[in-house]
Amino acid sequence: MASRDPVADLRRIAFLLERANEATYRVKAFRSAAATVARTPPAELAERAAAGTLAKLAGVGDVTARCVTESLAGEEPVYLRRLLSTEGADLPAAAAALRAALRGDCHVHSDWSDGGSPIEEMALAAADLGHEYFVLTDHSPRLTVARGLTAERLRRQLDHVAELNEQLPDGFRILTGIEVDILEDGSLDQEDELLARLDVVVGSVHSRLRDDSARMTRRMLAAIANPHLDVLGHMTGRKVAAPGAGDAAHRTARTRPPSTFDLEKVLAACVEQDKAVEINSRPDRLDPPKRMLTVAVEAGCRFGIDTDAHAPGQLDWQGFGCERAALCGVPADRVVNTWTAGRLLEWTASHG
Ligand SMILES: [Zn+2]
Ligand SMILES: [Zn+2]
């Protein structure tokens, strides 16, 4: 039997585990093994598979060695087959149509901040999903727990992205961006000059989420009025118990109620300034809640249906956002990432 590509099989397994929101260490085992196998000459791999010494390679363990052996023998690895057999059900029709209309993703992290994978791997996975672009939105300086990028590191990232864009497959492009912290006074946590240079700016509240409604409303309105901000990220900051990611008690311990603010005023400001409200697709966020999303549709808001992915497999979470958007009647033509990159950039440039 012709052998399969063991690197592709290991990466596919990692992708499916990430999509299922499995613990990072489990996914890492497959991504490190894929990196090692990619570096090892094919003849050595074949010898080691025959001699049963694959697991002696750094980064390869018993489980991943078995996958490689099966793959080299031309069999679909049992581990992969099991994951594929438990893949989620198809999206309902309206959500599937919305998902099919999406050309990109406006909220994606890399290992430059708190993501788990290099920008290039994220880009290749997004291209595989059929995206034409994503916006790279690593965190801003004050979010030190997430290794937020200083102005200097962000400048270096911009150079790096320009180089990557030269090498990536035709038809896919990384747009530059940031998930910038909305600070307590509503200002944005990065230099103006840099914010002006970026293609897309997502602004999110990550601190003092329990502030009273008046204070939080002032803070959000100031950020929305800032010409650099294009998309308001996960507007309530809530955390919900997502499937996967540990046991039930652990998941519940990590939940957080939505913050409180004057929803009508915030939505009206988004409409008036022509800014988009993010529909965050992460299973542990699903933000805004459906009742608020319905109000936002009625208010006439634009939306971005984004993943906030921190690993390649999480780029496939857009379906969750589409399902909620479809349930709440979000029209496709009001979703900014159904647009081409060109149209998206015209829109962000219109904010000044
Ligand atoms: Zn965030
Ligand atoms: Zn994020």
Side-chain angles (χ1 to χ4, degrees):
M1 216 188 297
S3 84
R4 296 161 59 94
D5 177 358
V7 177
D9 280 341
L10 290 168
R11 289 203 174 127
R12 183 79 190 137
I13 290 169
F15 183 94
L16 293 169
L17 290 171
E18 285 159 358
R19 192 171 69 172
N21 207 9
E22 290 288 351
T24 312
Y25 74 88
R26 281 191 68 197
V27 185
K28 271 264 144 53
F30 290 93
R31 293 220 173 265
S32 334
T36 300
V37 171
R39 276 196 306 268
T40 310
E44 182 184 341
L45 282 180
E47 262 167 49
R48 285 184 177 276
T53 60
L54 280 167
K56 292 214 158 58
L57 288 168
V60 180
D62 290 338
V63 174
T64 47
R66 198 172 317 130
C67 293
V68 174
T69 307
E70 289 163 348
S71 195
L72 288 173
E75 298 158 22
E76 184 171 61
V78 173
Y79 201 104
L80 176 57
R81 200 183 316 149
R82 209 180 60 231
L83 285 172
L84 289 170
S85 71
T86 55
E87 268 196 297
D90 288 342
L91 287 177
L98 202 48
R99 172 66 190 83
L102 297 181
R103 293 168 185 266
D105 191 331
C106 298
H107 190 158
V108 172
H109 296 275
S110 75
D111 61 2
W112 282 59
S113 64
D114 60 345
S117 293
I119 301 168
E120 191 179 359
E121 277 184 35
M122 297 298 284
L124 292 173
D128 274 351
L129 282 175
H131 284 332
E132 295 169 21
Y133 58 86
F134 67 52
V135 185
L136 181 62
T137 54
D138 278 314
H139 288 286
S140 65
R142 303 275 179 107
L143 207 61
T144 46
V145 288
R147 300 206 318 124
L149 273 61
T150 59
E152 190 209 327
R153 286 182 70 219
L154 180 54
R155 284 196 182 88
R156 255 192 285 142
Q157 186 181 67
L158 294 181
D159 293 339
H160 182 54
V161 167
E163 281 167 26
L164 285 178
N165 272 332
E166 299 285 306
Q167 302 154 19
L168 285 169
D170 279 349
F172 185 85
R173 171 176 172 195
I174 303 167
L175 301 180
T176 61
I178 186 171
E179 180 181 14
V180 68
D181 261 46
I182 298 176
L183 300 173
E184 278 170 50
D185 62 355
S187 62
L188 302 181
D189 180 30
Q190 190 48 279
E191 292 175 9
D192 268 349
E193 178 264 329
L194 266 170
L195 292 174
R197 261 176 77 187
L198 298 170
D199 292 327
V200 181
V201 172
V202 176
S204 309
V205 171
H206 289 118
S207 59
R208 299 194 63 114
L209 288 153
R210 300 273 65 78
D211 269 354
D212 65 55
S213 172
R215 195 184 283 261
M216 186 59 90
T217 305
R218 272 201 305 279
R219 180 179 179 182
M220 293 171 82
L221 291 178
I224 295 162
N226 187 313
H228 297 307
L229 185 139
D230 303 305
V231 180
L232 180 61
H234 49 70
M235 73 188 311
T236 78
R238 74 166 180 174
K239 286 281 183 83
V240 296
D247 57 42
H250 175 76
R251 291 198 303 270
T252 306
R254 297 182 55 153
T255 63
R256 184 164 67 205
S259 57
T260 55
F261 52 87
D262 187 325
L263 181 65
E264 274 76 27
K265 275 192 189 155
V266 166
L267 296 176
C270 288
V271 173
E272 195 186 303
Q273 318 267 347
D274 195 18
K275 307 294 173 78
V277 170
E278 175 183 82
I279 298 172
N280 189 298
S281 305
R282 289 188 66 82
D284 59 347
R285 285 198 182 271
L286 297 174
D287 200 355
K290 279 184 258 177
R291 63 196 143 80
M292 290 190 175
L293 187 49
T294 307
V295 180
V297 173
E298 282 163 12
C301 289
R302 287 194 198 283
F303 300 94
I305 303 178
D306 302 320
T307 60
D308 200 351
H310 287 68
Q314 299 179 0
L315 289 163
D316 210 13
W317 283 350
Q318 266 176 332
F320 302 133
C322 288
E323 228 168 320
R324 302 166 63 76
L327 276 173
C328 298
V330 173
D333 62 5
R334 273 209 248 148
V335 178
V336 299
N337 51 321
T338 61
W339 298 343
T340 61
R343 176 151 182 225
L344 181 70
L345 295 186
E346 270 170 37
W347 171 70
T348 60
S350 75
H351 298 142

